[in-house]
Short mmCIF file of all heavy atoms in Angstrom, two decimals:
data_model
loop_
_atom_site.label_atom_id
_atom_site.label_comp_id
_atom_site.label_asym_id
_atom_site.label_seq_id
_atom_site.Cartn_x
_atom_site.Cartn_y
_atom_site.Cartn_z
N VAL A 1348 -3.70 5.19 -0.57
CA VAL A 1348 -4.10 3.97 0.17
C VAL A 1348 -5.42 3.53 -0.38
O VAL A 1348 -5.70 2.27 -0.59
CB VAL A 1348 -4.21 4.21 1.75
CG1 VAL A 1348 -4.77 2.97 2.40
CG2 VAL A 1348 -2.97 4.63 2.27
N PHE A 1349 -6.38 4.39 -0.68
CA PHE A 1349 -7.62 3.99 -1.32
C PHE A 1349 -7.36 3.23 -2.63
O PHE A 1349 -7.99 2.18 -2.89
CB PHE A 1349 -8.55 5.25 -1.57
CG PHE A 1349 -9.20 5.78 -0.35
CD1 PHE A 1349 -9.90 7.03 -0.44
CD2 PHE A 1349 -9.16 5.10 0.87
CE1 PHE A 1349 -10.50 7.52 0.68
CE2 PHE A 1349 -9.81 5.63 1.96
CZ PHE A 1349 -10.54 6.83 1.88
N CYS A 1350 -6.52 3.88 -3.43
CA CYS A 1350 -6.26 3.29 -4.71
C CYS A 1350 -5.67 1.94 -4.67
O CYS A 1350 -6.06 1.03 -5.37
CB CYS A 1350 -5.31 4.20 -5.62
SG CYS A 1350 -6.10 5.66 -6.29
N MET A 1351 -4.67 1.71 -3.74
CA MET A 1351 -4.01 0.50 -3.70
C MET A 1351 -5.02 -0.60 -3.25
O MET A 1351 -5.00 -1.72 -3.77
CB MET A 1351 -2.87 0.50 -2.57
CG MET A 1351 -2.07 -0.73 -2.49
SD MET A 1351 -1.36 -1.25 -4.02
CE MET A 1351 0.10 -0.18 -4.22
N GLY A 1352 -5.95 -0.31 -2.35
CA GLY A 1352 -7.01 -1.23 -1.90
C GLY A 1352 -7.95 -1.57 -3.02
O GLY A 1352 -8.29 -2.79 -3.26
N VAL A 1353 -8.41 -0.56 -3.78
CA VAL A 1353 -9.46 -0.88 -4.76
C VAL A 1353 -8.82 -1.58 -5.96
O VAL A 1353 -9.50 -2.42 -6.54
CB VAL A 1353 -10.16 0.50 -5.24
CG1 VAL A 1353 -11.11 0.30 -6.36
CG2 VAL A 1353 -10.82 1.12 -4.05
N VAL A 1354 -7.59 -1.20 -6.37
CA VAL A 1354 -6.93 -1.89 -7.47
C VAL A 1354 -6.87 -3.41 -7.21
O VAL A 1354 -6.92 -4.17 -8.10
CB VAL A 1354 -5.59 -1.19 -7.75
CG1 VAL A 1354 -4.76 -2.15 -8.59
CG2 VAL A 1354 -5.78 0.13 -8.50
N THR A 1355 -6.61 -3.75 -5.91
CA THR A 1355 -6.49 -5.16 -5.64
C THR A 1355 -7.90 -5.91 -5.91
O THR A 1355 -7.84 -7.10 -6.26
CB THR A 1355 -6.14 -5.29 -4.13
OG1 THR A 1355 -4.92 -4.56 -3.90
CG2 THR A 1355 -5.89 -6.75 -3.79
N LEU A 1356 -9.00 -5.19 -5.72
CA LEU A 1356 -10.16 -5.83 -6.09
C LEU A 1356 -10.55 -6.00 -7.52
O LEU A 1356 -11.42 -6.71 -7.91
CB LEU A 1356 -11.37 -5.06 -5.49
CG LEU A 1356 -11.52 -4.95 -3.94
CD1 LEU A 1356 -12.59 -3.96 -3.55
CD2 LEU A 1356 -11.86 -6.31 -3.41
N GLY A 1357 -9.65 -5.38 -8.39
CA GLY A 1357 -9.73 -5.51 -9.82
C GLY A 1357 -9.65 -6.95 -10.27
O GLY A 1357 -10.13 -7.27 -11.45
N GLY A 1358 -9.00 -7.75 -9.52
CA GLY A 1358 -8.93 -9.21 -9.89
C GLY A 1358 -10.18 -9.93 -10.06
O GLY A 1358 -10.51 -10.85 -10.80
N LEU A 1359 -11.25 -9.35 -9.38
CA LEU A 1359 -12.65 -9.98 -9.54
C LEU A 1359 -13.29 -9.58 -10.80
O LEU A 1359 -14.28 -10.28 -11.15
CB LEU A 1359 -13.51 -9.41 -8.32
CG LEU A 1359 -13.03 -9.79 -6.90
CD1 LEU A 1359 -13.85 -8.94 -5.89
CD2 LEU A 1359 -13.21 -11.28 -6.67
N VAL A 1360 -12.87 -8.55 -11.52
CA VAL A 1360 -13.49 -8.19 -12.77
C VAL A 1360 -12.54 -8.16 -13.96
O VAL A 1360 -12.55 -7.39 -14.88
CB VAL A 1360 -14.11 -6.80 -12.64
CG1 VAL A 1360 -15.28 -6.79 -11.67
CG2 VAL A 1360 -13.08 -5.71 -12.19
N ALA A 1361 -11.56 -9.13 -13.87
CA ALA A 1361 -10.62 -9.48 -15.02
C ALA A 1361 -9.69 -8.24 -15.31
O ALA A 1361 -9.34 -8.03 -16.38
CB ALA A 1361 -11.29 -9.84 -16.25
N ALA A 1362 -9.35 -7.44 -14.27
CA ALA A 1362 -8.53 -6.28 -14.47
C ALA A 1362 -6.99 -6.60 -14.43
O ALA A 1362 -6.20 -5.84 -14.80
CB ALA A 1362 -8.82 -5.15 -13.42
N GLY A 1363 -6.75 -7.74 -13.92
CA GLY A 1363 -5.27 -8.23 -13.80
C GLY A 1363 -4.78 -7.67 -12.51
O GLY A 1363 -5.53 -7.40 -11.66
N GLY A 1364 -3.47 -7.57 -12.34
CA GLY A 1364 -2.95 -7.13 -11.11
C GLY A 1364 -2.76 -8.23 -10.13
O GLY A 1364 -3.06 -9.37 -10.30
N LEU A 1365 -2.33 -7.88 -8.92
CA LEU A 1365 -2.15 -8.82 -7.85
C LEU A 1365 -3.49 -9.38 -7.33
O LEU A 1365 -3.41 -10.41 -6.67
CB LEU A 1365 -1.36 -8.11 -6.77
CG LEU A 1365 0.08 -7.77 -7.06
CD1 LEU A 1365 0.73 -6.89 -6.01
CD2 LEU A 1365 0.93 -9.01 -7.27
N GLY A 1366 -4.52 -8.61 -7.61
CA GLY A 1366 -5.79 -9.17 -7.13
C GLY A 1366 -6.23 -10.45 -7.87
O GLY A 1366 -6.83 -11.30 -7.25
N THR A 1367 -5.70 -10.65 -9.06
CA THR A 1367 -5.88 -11.90 -9.75
C THR A 1367 -5.22 -13.09 -9.12
O THR A 1367 -5.84 -14.08 -9.03
CB THR A 1367 -5.34 -11.77 -11.25
OG1 THR A 1367 -5.99 -10.73 -11.88
CG2 THR A 1367 -5.54 -13.02 -12.01
N VAL A 1368 -4.02 -12.86 -8.58
CA VAL A 1368 -3.40 -13.93 -7.86
C VAL A 1368 -4.16 -14.30 -6.66
O VAL A 1368 -4.35 -15.40 -6.23
CB VAL A 1368 -1.93 -13.46 -7.48
CG1 VAL A 1368 -1.14 -14.66 -6.81
CG2 VAL A 1368 -1.14 -13.05 -8.73
N LEU A 1369 -4.54 -13.28 -5.85
CA LEU A 1369 -5.35 -13.51 -4.61
C LEU A 1369 -6.67 -14.18 -5.08
O LEU A 1369 -7.07 -15.20 -4.29
CB LEU A 1369 -5.64 -12.19 -4.01
CG LEU A 1369 -4.54 -11.54 -3.25
CD1 LEU A 1369 -4.91 -10.07 -2.87
CD2 LEU A 1369 -4.25 -12.30 -1.99
N GLN A 1370 -7.38 -13.84 -6.11
CA GLN A 1370 -8.56 -14.37 -6.49
C GLN A 1370 -8.38 -15.93 -6.87
O GLN A 1370 -9.12 -16.80 -6.45
CB GLN A 1370 -9.16 -13.67 -7.70
CG GLN A 1370 -10.45 -14.15 -8.16
CD GLN A 1370 -11.68 -14.06 -7.18
OE1 GLN A 1370 -11.54 -13.36 -6.27
NE2 GLN A 1370 -12.73 -14.82 -7.51
N ASN A 1371 -7.35 -16.17 -7.61
CA ASN A 1371 -7.06 -17.60 -7.98
C ASN A 1371 -6.70 -18.43 -6.71
O ASN A 1371 -7.10 -19.60 -6.66
CB ASN A 1371 -5.83 -17.60 -8.97
CG ASN A 1371 -6.23 -17.12 -10.36
OD1 ASN A 1371 -7.41 -17.04 -10.69
ND2 ASN A 1371 -5.18 -16.59 -11.11
N GLY A 1372 -5.94 -17.84 -5.91
CA GLY A 1372 -5.57 -18.55 -4.59
C GLY A 1372 -6.87 -18.86 -3.73
O GLY A 1372 -6.88 -19.99 -3.28
N ILE A 1373 -7.82 -17.95 -3.70
CA ILE A 1373 -8.97 -18.15 -2.92
C ILE A 1373 -9.80 -19.33 -3.71
O ILE A 1373 -10.33 -20.23 -3.00
CB ILE A 1373 -9.80 -16.92 -2.78
CG1 ILE A 1373 -9.08 -15.87 -1.85
CG2 ILE A 1373 -11.22 -17.22 -2.24
CD1 ILE A 1373 -9.63 -14.55 -1.97
N GLN A 1374 -10.00 -19.19 -5.01
CA GLN A 1374 -10.82 -20.13 -5.68
C GLN A 1374 -10.31 -21.54 -5.62
O GLN A 1374 -10.99 -22.55 -5.47
CB GLN A 1374 -10.97 -19.67 -7.13
CG GLN A 1374 -11.88 -18.48 -7.35
CD GLN A 1374 -11.91 -18.09 -8.79
OE1 GLN A 1374 -11.18 -18.45 -9.53
NE2 GLN A 1374 -12.94 -17.24 -9.11
N LEU A 1375 -8.97 -21.64 -5.73
CA LEU A 1375 -8.31 -22.99 -5.78
C LEU A 1375 -7.78 -23.39 -4.35
O LEU A 1375 -7.20 -24.48 -4.25
CB LEU A 1375 -7.10 -22.95 -6.77
CG LEU A 1375 -7.48 -22.56 -8.15
CD1 LEU A 1375 -6.30 -22.47 -9.07
CD2 LEU A 1375 -8.41 -23.65 -8.76
N TYR A 1376 -8.06 -22.56 -3.45
CA TYR A 1376 -7.58 -22.78 -1.99
C TYR A 1376 -6.15 -23.11 -1.92
O TYR A 1376 -5.64 -24.02 -1.39
CB TYR A 1376 -8.38 -23.96 -1.37
CG TYR A 1376 -8.28 -23.94 0.13
CD1 TYR A 1376 -8.70 -22.90 0.89
CD2 TYR A 1376 -7.74 -25.05 0.78
CE1 TYR A 1376 -8.56 -23.01 2.26
CE2 TYR A 1376 -7.56 -25.08 2.16
CZ TYR A 1376 -7.98 -23.97 2.88
OH TYR A 1376 -7.87 -23.96 4.22
N GLN A 1377 -5.40 -22.16 -2.49
CA GLN A 1377 -3.89 -22.26 -2.54
C GLN A 1377 -3.42 -21.26 -1.46
O GLN A 1377 -3.26 -20.04 -1.70
CB GLN A 1377 -3.33 -21.92 -3.86
CG GLN A 1377 -3.71 -22.97 -4.90
CD GLN A 1377 -3.19 -22.58 -6.33
OE1 GLN A 1377 -2.76 -21.48 -6.60
NE2 GLN A 1377 -3.17 -23.52 -7.27
N LYS A 1378 -3.20 -21.80 -0.26
CA LYS A 1378 -2.92 -20.79 0.89
C LYS A 1378 -1.60 -20.15 0.68
O LYS A 1378 -1.39 -18.95 1.01
CB LYS A 1378 -2.86 -21.65 2.16
CG LYS A 1378 -4.21 -22.18 2.59
CD LYS A 1378 -4.03 -22.83 3.98
CE LYS A 1378 -3.46 -24.23 3.86
NZ LYS A 1378 -3.43 -25.01 5.09
N ASP A 1379 -0.65 -20.78 0.02
CA ASP A 1379 0.72 -20.12 -0.20
C ASP A 1379 0.53 -18.90 -1.14
O ASP A 1379 1.13 -17.82 -0.94
CB ASP A 1379 1.64 -21.09 -0.82
CG ASP A 1379 2.12 -22.15 0.16
OD1 ASP A 1379 1.92 -21.96 1.38
OD2 ASP A 1379 2.59 -23.20 -0.27
N ALA A 1380 -0.29 -19.04 -2.18
CA ALA A 1380 -0.42 -18.01 -3.14
C ALA A 1380 -1.25 -16.80 -2.48
O ALA A 1380 -0.85 -15.64 -2.64
CB ALA A 1380 -1.35 -18.49 -4.31
N ILE A 1381 -2.24 -17.17 -1.58
CA ILE A 1381 -2.87 -16.14 -0.90
C ILE A 1381 -1.99 -15.33 0.03
O ILE A 1381 -1.92 -14.13 0.06
CB ILE A 1381 -4.06 -16.69 0.00
CG1 ILE A 1381 -5.10 -17.37 -1.01
CG2 ILE A 1381 -4.71 -15.67 0.79
CD1 ILE A 1381 -6.19 -18.13 -0.23
N LEU A 1382 -1.09 -16.14 0.77
CA LEU A 1382 -0.16 -15.47 1.69
C LEU A 1382 0.87 -14.56 0.94
O LEU A 1382 1.09 -13.39 1.29
CB LEU A 1382 0.58 -16.45 2.51
CG LEU A 1382 -0.25 -17.09 3.71
CD1 LEU A 1382 0.49 -18.27 4.26
CD2 LEU A 1382 -0.49 -16.01 4.76
#
Side-chain angles (χ1 to χ4, degrees):
V1348 177
F1349 284 171
C1350 283
M1351 185 57 75
V1353 176
V1354 165
T1355 305
L1356 290 174
L1359 297 170
V1360 291
L1365 294 170
T1367 299
V1368 183
L1369 285 167
Q1370 180 67 12
N1371 290 339
I1373 292 169
Q1374 288 179 343
L1375 301 174
Y1376 196 59
Q1377 296 177 347
K1378 292 184 286 185
D1379 291 340
I1381 296 170
L1382 281 172

